[in-house]
Amino acid sequence: DISGASDQLNATRDALTGNFIIAVVIVYLLLVAIFAHWDFPLLILTAIPLGVAGGIVGLALMNLVGGLLPKIGLLPLSQPFDMITMLGFLILMGTVVNNPIPVVEQARQNLRQRDISVVD
């Protein structure tokens, strides 16, 4: 039976995985309340996978460059994919959806006020 820090790490990982799904649902419902529409939030949430992919690439690049630092006389730098990093990805999810919100809102206003087509 696993106990101690390893057991707590697994429990924390399971909790964060569940919390990630709950966070996506809460963000979706908040966006539905803001836009009073069920489809626009889905368009906004398409930014989340791109943000997570960018975060993973950034983490890999940081570890790559951090591994090269000893060659120029500096201490190596490494960030494993641990609980703090997973928490950072939860925060990233909330930050990533902030950019598409004004874009979608401006598009909605253009459709209503200026009678511009969807393509334009």
Side-chain angles (χ1 to χ4, degrees), residues 47-58:
I48 290 178
L50 296 173
V52 170
I56 291 171
V57 168

Side-chain angles (χ1 to χ4, degrees), residues 43-101:
L43 180 63
I44 292 169
L45 290 180
T46 59
I48 290 178
L50 296 173
V52 170
I56 291 171
V57 168
L59 186 63
L61 283 174
M62 189 191 82
N63 287 331
L64 176 71
V65 170
L68 297 175
L69 289 178
K71 293 185 181 198
I72 59 171
L74 298 173
L75 294 174
L77 180 66
S78 173
Q79 175 61 44
F81 195 73
D82 58 359
M83 292 304 127
I84 299 298
T85 308
M86 290 177 76
L87 183 61
F89 275 93
L90 280 174
I91 295 168
L92 174 72
M93 182 181 61
T95 305
V96 163
V97 297
N98 286 334
N99 190 36
I101 290 173

Side-chain angles (χ1 to χ4, degrees), residues 16-33:
L16 278 177
T17 302
N19 289 343
F20 184 79
I21 294 167
I22 291 170
V24 170
V25 170
I26 288 173
V27 168
Y28 174 73
L29 292 176
L30 283 172
L31 289 172
V32 166

